[in-house]
Amino acid sequence: MSQPSRVEGGSFIDRDKALSFTFNGRTCSGFDGDTLASALLANGVRMLGRSFKYHRPRGIVALGSEEPNALLRVMDRDGNGWPNGRATTIPLLDGMAVRSQHHWPSLDLDLGALADCFSRFLSTGFYYKTFMWPRRWWPHYEHILRHAAGLGAPPTALIHPPAGQRHVHVDVLVVGGGPAGLAAALAAGRSGASVLLAEDDARLGGSMPEDEPGDAESWLLATLAALREMPNVSLLTRTVATGYYDHDFLTMVQTRLKPTAQSTTTAHTLWKVRATRVVLATGAIERPLVFGGNDRPGVMLASAVIGYLQRYGVLCGRRIVLCTNNDSVYVAVPALERAGATIEAVLDVRDQPSAIALAAIKAGLKVISNASIVGTDGRARIRAVRWTQSSGATMRTECDLLAMAGGWTPRVHLFSQARGTLRYEPSIGSFVPRAANGANVSAGACNGCFDTDACIAEGERAGRNAAPIPGASPGIELAGTTEVATPSRQKAFVDFQNDVTVGDILMASREGYRSVEHLKRYTTLGMGTDQGKLSNINGLAILASQTGQAPGQVGTTTFRPPYIPIDLSVIAGLAQNHPAHAVRRLATHDWHLQNGAVFTPSGIWLRPQLYRRPGESDLDAVNREVGAVRDGVGLIDVSPLGKIELQGTDAAELLNRLYVNRFNKLPIGRAKFGVILREDGMVLDDSVVARLSEYHFVMSTSTAHSKLVPEHIAFCLHTIWPTLRVHVTPVSEQWSTFALAGRLARAVLSRLSPDFDVSAAALPHMSVRVGTLAGATARVARMSFSGELSYEISVPAAQGMRVWTALVEAGAPHGLTVYGTEAMGVLRIEKGHFVVGREASGTATLDDLGLGGLLDRSKDCIGMRSLSLPALAEAGRAQLIGVKATEPGSRIPPGAHIVLDNSTKVQHSHGAMTSQCYSPTLGCSIGLAMVQSGRARVGEIVYAVSPVTNEAVRVQLTDARFVDPAGERLNA
């Protein structure tokens, strides 16, 4: 368990807590506080993976989220793996197992490296030029290309690490915990404002570690102590700001270490922050230099080399060559030499040595000015650097580490996501903020300022003042400029992850791809998981030199969120309560809690998913609840349904213009199903509208669109039809709504209030009555989502618990069963009802969903004209249809594609499953799907195939109405 590269020092690690982990089955050791990257480097591991296109050996380059190479598969204790874990940002945990990826059969012997031997035939855009002919061969090409594409295999686990969400409103959000960010937080905190500071590193201080001696250390310790004493200031570490959206709304992902009885695990929290003002102090990223062979393991950023030494006590090499175009590397030399390294040479590309370089030469350091690297030697690790001076003879210097420093690129990603504009600063060879859009201000290195004292001053001003602060003008000596590679026989890489070389960019320019956006897509520059953090500026500079423009004229590609890749399980995490964004609980929540409910988040609501009895599995509970509704009577709380009141003399006219069907002739006391379209003719929402009086209607929308539909109506009234006389009031939270369903539903409701006539004659299907139930004013609508005889009962939310318990008591003699959202989903699939977001996913028209007859062409409505577009009426469109497994024991995979072959190989997809479940009524797996020409293919035998789960199930296409297709039950 030796760590050959571990030396003294390391402010981030605790040497008293040793940890063990494995890499490709090899046992390694580290310390608490290590990242995977620092621990692997400490154990002498230099090659971690293979590049995307040429499968060249790749090692660690950087220190943080900008790392392009060190992507590993992280395994859990059950053998499940998650791909593309960035080793530089993953904390080391005891017992962790990681594996390299994107190679076969092994990391050391990868047959994919043959692509490097034939690289002259695989230049940029070769796939566009090669695989277009003959056209009939494309399916074979596609099959091979799909297997070669991608980084890592999909996750093998269905259970994801724990994740949650938090909503926060603050006066000031500071992004970045370096000198500028800390100064801004301190100044804002002293003003009494509520402050939240987020830092993506494990410690605060940025480039000023706490063990740095002198005035910097004193300032840092004093600032941190003052901040921690302020009750109005919150400090978050391991928290990355991933997106900056409209109205100063930001998202952040926090990684937390959670100790358990057996070990320590990680958990993630998605923070959703609404800030009055934002201070961006995100720092800068060191740029690599572009030269032949710059991608070998052992070629690293100089800032990363010194960072691993100071933070983790890891010396990345013993014989070091430094290559630079600025003065920053000279500051690192003493620390490297104290750690036991030998500085073989400093290759400075500048014509004349700077003052700090002259001082280093005087101290005995070998500094070579006007030097250019022409190549490197080595395979799994760099062995030597070949360089030339003033185009003279080529020299060779042996080394085991090449540290390069190409200047600094301000992290303007969040600033640009907020639609701020940039300007090119020639002195640093990069873009800096020009004009902000929104209540944000940039300070420190992200604003182009690289002097520590100046960064602190900018941060203090930003913390006190909301006005934008102009960027400081840094000196050339510190920042450096972008250098174009010296001609070399070896490949000079610009994008390490996607294998984009200088030659690729030159070829793209020659072929006419001179727009930065075209260059990006043609060469895949900056399209990897690192989003070009290290490569974009160098690529833009090379393109500018080819087109005879200044980099500022070339511009930048679009910065889009998220700043780092986010696991979808984090986005789907449970919402944690906050006064401004409280989780909505049903008026009957306490009853469900006391009666065994298993809750699930449903939008902003917490709803019962099922009611588990002792000894039952979840599937058993759902099957029991479904059977109760089909055979007797069931009760569910559907209060989250959207409810909108429309009152006024033009209420019916408004509905006519919104819905595809007509509502002005709807009798009082009756209800009608309707569909709202978007302007492009696609289904926006489905609703049931009840008419309570001549000028009073109530809309019941889907839960998913309970907020969107009122906003849509408000937009129409304010911008399209401002003269309509109608009041629209969303009342979803004001009413509790319960669905009583099953053949015994009428008997239960009659017991609740004998004076309320709910007979078939008095309250037929699709009718509504207002009366008194259990002492509460109630609206009772006869409608059905389950396909059974059903009533929807709406009462004021304050009286919801009383009416609910009265319904439960009245149903007890009839065996009433309370059911949850899972059973409700099974019931609706059995009946063939579509839902918004699944079947109506934004690309479905009325006819696609089998509702073409609903359209009333005698009037106009939103989306009507779009329905005449040829594309919306062409043959072969995907249509809603039922799918049934032919074998009783088969399970239709979620999200499966409908294909003609039972193989999981790449083949033509005829559609996809949108919903699936086990039907206890039919005794088999069923589902709904959108299938090409689906209604004409009823009875056809096909296969539901999921390449993700590697399953292929034989199924039959059926009518979507599995249960009671004639509707006899709901009309009983």
Side-chain angles (χ1 to χ4, degrees):
M1 296 183 65
S2 63
Q3 301 180 45
S5 296
R6 189 79 72 174
V7 294
E8 294 298 321
S11 61
F12 280 32
I13 59 174
D14 183 351
R15 294 177 184 263
D16 293 330
K17 296 181 179 178
L19 306 178
S20 176
F21 69 104
T22 63
F23 172 68
N24 286 349
R26 168 191 167 188
T27 300
C28 304
S29 62
F31 296 113
D32 186 44
D34 264 323
T35 63
L36 265 177
S38 65
L40 287 167
L41 288 170
N43 283 268
V45 178
R46 293 298 182 266
M47 187 169 72
L48 273 71
R50 295 279 180 163
S51 65
F52 174 72
K53 183 177 176 181
Y54 298 128
H55 288 251
R56 290 169 65 94
R58 289 290 158 82
I60 295 169
V61 173
L63 186 65
S65 60
E66 68 273 16
E67 169 60 41
N69 293 337
L71 302 180
L72 302 175
R73 189 172 187 84
V74 182
M75 316 298 290
D76 64 13
R77 296 178 184 276
D78 298 323
N80 300 311
W82 287 267
N84 297 328
R86 204 173 303 276
T88 53
T89 61
I90 297 177
L92 181 67
L93 304 178
D94 194 38
M96 177 178 279
V98 294
R99 297 184 179 278
S100 54
Q101 56 184 32
H102 197 59
H103 52 70
W104 186 85
S106 69
L107 177 61
D108 294 323
L109 179 62
D110 180 15
L111 294 183
L114 291 173
D116 195 27
C117 301
F118 297 97
S119 59
R120 61 177 297 183
F121 304 109
L122 304 177
S123 59
T124 185
F126 78 95
Y127 29 83
Y128 299 124
K129 306 166 187 174
T130 307
F131 301 115
M132 297 296 104
W133 56 271
R135 182 176 295 273
R136 67 178 182 277
W137 287 12
W138 170 247
H140 305 288
Y141 293 143
E142 184 182 30
H143 179 71
I144 297 172
L145 290 173
R146 284 186 179 274
H147 277 80
L151 287 171
T156 55
L158 299 179
I159 300 176
H160 298 276
Q165 298 183 16
R166 291 183 65 89
H167 296 265
V168 176
H169 288 242
V170 293
D171 296 326
V172 180
L173 171 64
V174 179
V175 182
L182 293 174
L186 184 61
R190 284 173 174 168
S191 71
S194 59
V195 180
L196 178 64
L197 182 145
E199 165 58 42
D200 62 355
D201 217 333
R203 300 280 183 92
L204 298 171
S207 59
M208 301 172 60
E210 292 185 36
D211 62 350
E212 184 176 318
D215 294 339
E217 178 188 21
S218 300
W219 181 89
L220 178 60
L221 294 175
T223 300
L224 291 176
L227 287 171
R228 287 163 179 158
E229 290 177 357
M230 293 181 179
N232 57 321
V233 176
S234 298
L235 306 176
L236 299 178
T237 56
R238 301 186 190 273
T239 303
V240 184
T242 59
Y244 196 141
Y245 304 91
D246 294 342
H247 310 296
D248 301 297
F249 175 78
L250 290 91
T251 56
M252 309 188 307
V253 175
Q254 180 187 24
T255 301
R256 294 171 289 115
L257 300 183
K258 295 184 64 177
T260 64
Q262 293 80 21
S263 63
T264 300
T265 61
T266 58
H268 302 282
T269 299
L270 178 65
W271 289 74
K272 299 179 179 180
V273 184
R274 185 81 66 180
T276 304
R277 186 163 59 89
V278 180
V279 176
L280 299 175
T282 48
I285 303 171
E286 189 168 33
R287 285 195 299 273
L289 292 169
V290 181
F291 51 83
N294 63 339
D295 66 322
R296 297 192 192 281
V299 180
M300 299 177 64
L301 295 174
S303 59
V305 172
I306 194 65
Y308 284 113
L309 177 61
Q310 292 180 336
R311 297 181 178 196
Y312 309 105
V314 173
L315 184 60
C316 299
R318 299 285 177 176
R319 302 180 64 188
I320 303 176
V321 171
L322 303 173
C323 182
T324 184
N325 63 5
N326 62 88
D327 286 342
S328 61
V329 298
Y330 295 99
V331 180
V333 169
L336 293 172
E337 291 181 331
R338 286 195 301 269
T342 299
I343 307 301
E344 300 291 342
V346 177
L347 305 178
D348 198 322
V349 303
R350 294 174 292 185
D351 293 337
Q352 298 295 329
S354 64
I356 192 171
L358 289 173
I361 294 172
K362 188 175 181 180
L365 189 66
K366 182 180 180 181
V367 178
I368 303 166
S369 300
N370 198 19
S372 297
I373 296 178
V374 296
T376 60
D377 296 337
R379 180 181 171 273
R381 182 171 181 173
I382 190 170
R383 299 300 179 191
V385 176
R386 288 179 282 109
W387 54 274
T388 184
Q389 189 176 22
S390 301
S391 301
T394 299
M395 308 295 289
R396 185 176 185 273
T397 302
E398 293 188 354
C399 64
D400 60 4
L401 175 66
L402 173 59
M404 52 183 173
W408 297 86
T409 301
R411 297 189 194 217
V412 295
H413 302 70
L414 292 177
F415 177 85
S416 298
Q417 289 176 19
R419 312 311 296 171
T421 59
L422 303 173
R423 64 177 177 86
Y424 184 75
E425 177 52 58
S427 64
I428 64 172
S430 192
F431 291 86
V432 296
R434 179 171 62 182
N437 178 42
N440 65 76
V441 61
S442 298
C446 70
N447 197 39
C449 176
F450 298 104
D451 178 76
T452 300
D453 291 336
C455 287
I456 293 172
E458 277 199 5
E460 289 177 347
R461 290 196 299 270
R464 294 192 308 264
N465 190 351
I469 300 170
S473 179
I476 297 177
E477 296 300 320
L478 176 67
T481 56
T482 302
E483 299 290 333
V484 179
T486 301
S488 169
R489 291 182 176 274
Q490 292 182 327
K491 298 182 184 71
F493 286 89
V494 180
D495 187 317
F496 296 111
Q497 190 172 106
N498 280 355
D499 280 337
V500 180
T501 66
V502 172
D504 292 332
I505 297 175
L506 299 182
M507 177 179 288
S509 176
R510 291 195 300 268
E511 295 185 0
Y513 294 93
R514 300 191 170 196
S515 162
V516 291
E517 296 291 356
H518 292 163
L519 174 73
K520 172 182 177 180
R521 284 154 181 80
Y522 190 60
T523 65
T524 70
L525 175 71
M527 293 179 65
T529 63
D530 63 330
Q531 300 185 50
K533 292 181 177 65
L534 296 183
S535 61
N536 279 350
I537 292 297
N538 285 333
L540 296 177
I542 295 170
L543 178 64
S545 68
Q546 287 300 110
T547 57
Q549 303 179 81
Q553 295 174 302
V554 173
T556 66
T557 54
T558 303
F559 295 88
R560 294 186 177 91
Y563 178 70
I564 61 169
I566 301 176
D567 194 313
L568 292 179
S569 65
V570 177
I571 299 175
L574 290 172
Q576 300 176 31
N577 211 351
H578 185 273
H581 291 277
V583 175
R584 301 290 196 271
R585 288 183 170 82
L586 306 171
T588 55
H589 178 83
D590 291 342
W591 187 95
H592 302 300
L593 196 63
Q594 296 166 7
N595 285 270
V598 176
F599 290 94
T600 184
S602 178
I604 61 175
W605 291 88
L606 198 61
R607 301 183 65 181
Q609 184 179 22
L610 52 91
Y611 298 83
R612 192 187 296 127
R613 293 180 178 175
E616 278 188 334
S617 67
D618 289 354
L619 181 60
D620 291 338
V622 173
N623 291 344
R624 172 179 51 78
E625 293 169 11
V626 171
V629 176
R630 293 287 182 224
D631 299 331
V633 61
L635 179 66
I636 184 174
D637 192 326
V638 291
S639 299
L641 284 173
K643 295 173 277 289
I644 307 170
E645 303 264 358
L646 294 88
Q647 294 175 298
T649 55
D650 291 330
E653 178 61 22
L654 173 62
L655 292 171
N656 279 345
R657 298 182 186 185
L658 290 171
Y659 285 90
V660 300
N661 43 344
R662 185 177 292 277
F663 282 87
N664 61 317
K665 296 182 180 180
L666 181 67
I668 295 172
R670 300 291 292 184
K672 179 185 284 190
F673 173 80
V675 174
I676 302 175
L677 302 181
R678 300 186 320 211
E679 289 85 348
D680 61 359
M682 302 302 172
V683 171
L684 172 68
D685 196 63
D686 63 313
S687 317
V688 173
V689 179
R691 190 169 198 168
L692 301 183
S693 67
E694 184 177 2
Y695 302 127
H696 186 187
F697 295 80
V698 177
M699 294 173 58
S700 177
T701 74
S702 67
T703 302
H705 283 172
S706 61
K707 300 298 181 186
L708 177 63
V709 172
E711 292 173 357
H712 175 68
I713 297 174
F715 171 81
C716 292
L717 286 176
H718 283 86
T719 62
I720 308 176
W721 313 308
T723 60
L724 289 184
R725 295 165 294 177
V726 58
H727 290 281
V728 178
T729 309
V731 292
S732 299
E733 287 83 2
Q734 281 68 42
W735 293 82
S736 289
T737 303
F738 315 126
L740 185 67
R743 61 184 179 83
L744 301 178
R746 183 177 291 121
V748 173
L749 195 56
S750 298
R751 286 175 56 88
L752 189 64
S753 183
D755 297 332
F756 198 116
D757 190 355
V758 293
S759 64
L763 196 60
H765 184 58
M766 297 305 288
S767 62
V768 61
R769 285 190 59 192
V770 178
T772 301
L773 290 178
T777 301
R779 296 171 180 171
V780 180
R782 176 86 183 277
M783 62 182 73
S784 178
F785 190 62
S786 62
E788 302 293 329
L789 167 65
S790 180
Y791 302 89
E792 284 194 4
I793 304 156
S794 297
V795 298
Q799 302 172 22
M801 181 64 87
R802 182 169 79 244
V803 176
W804 174 269
T805 54
L807 283 166
V808 172
E809 292 171 1
H814 299 278
L816 180 142
T817 296
V818 177
Y819 63 101
T821 57
E822 200 70 26
M824 180 179 68
V826 175
L827 292 166
R828 74 97 183 165
I829 294 173
E830 290 181 342
K831 189 58 181 174
H833 287 155
F834 75 88
V835 295
V836 174
R838 288 183 176 267
E839 290 73 34
S841 60
T843 59
T845 66
L846 277 174
D847 185 70
D848 296 340
L849 298 172
L851 300 173
L854 203 64
L855 182 64
D856 187 341
R857 295 190 178 274
S858 66
K859 68 174 189 66
D860 196 9
C861 70
I862 290 180
M864 174 76 78
R865 297 169 197 175
S866 295
L867 295 179
S868 62
L869 294 172
L872 301 191
E874 66 183 5
R877 283 187 61 85
Q879 297 174 337
L880 178 63
I881 196 171
V883 176
K884 179 180 179 181
T886 58
E887 300 295 331
S890 298
R891 170 186 169 273
I892 300 176
H897 285 267
I898 302 301
V899 298
L900 301 183
D901 195 311
N902 67 344
S903 170
T904 56
K905 69 180 183 181
V906 177
Q907 55 184 301
H908 175 69
S909 174
H910 292 253
M913 299 297 303
T914 55
S915 306
Q916 68 287 317
C917 68
Y918 173 77
S919 168
T921 308
L922 303 177
C924 64
S925 181
I926 64 171
L928 301 177
M930 298 297 289
V931 178
Q932 296 171 357
S933 304
R935 291 194 293 272
R937 301 172 66 175
V938 170
E940 185 176 342
I941 300 296
V942 292
Y943 294 89
V945 172
S946 172
V948 175
T949 60
N950 199 33
E951 294 177 279
V953 177
R954 189 172 184 266
V955 297
Q956 183 179 27
L957 303 183
T958 69
D959 186 284
R961 296 164 296 179
F962 294 97
V963 174
D964 190 27
E968 296 175 355
R969 297 186 182 185
L970 59 88
N971 286 294

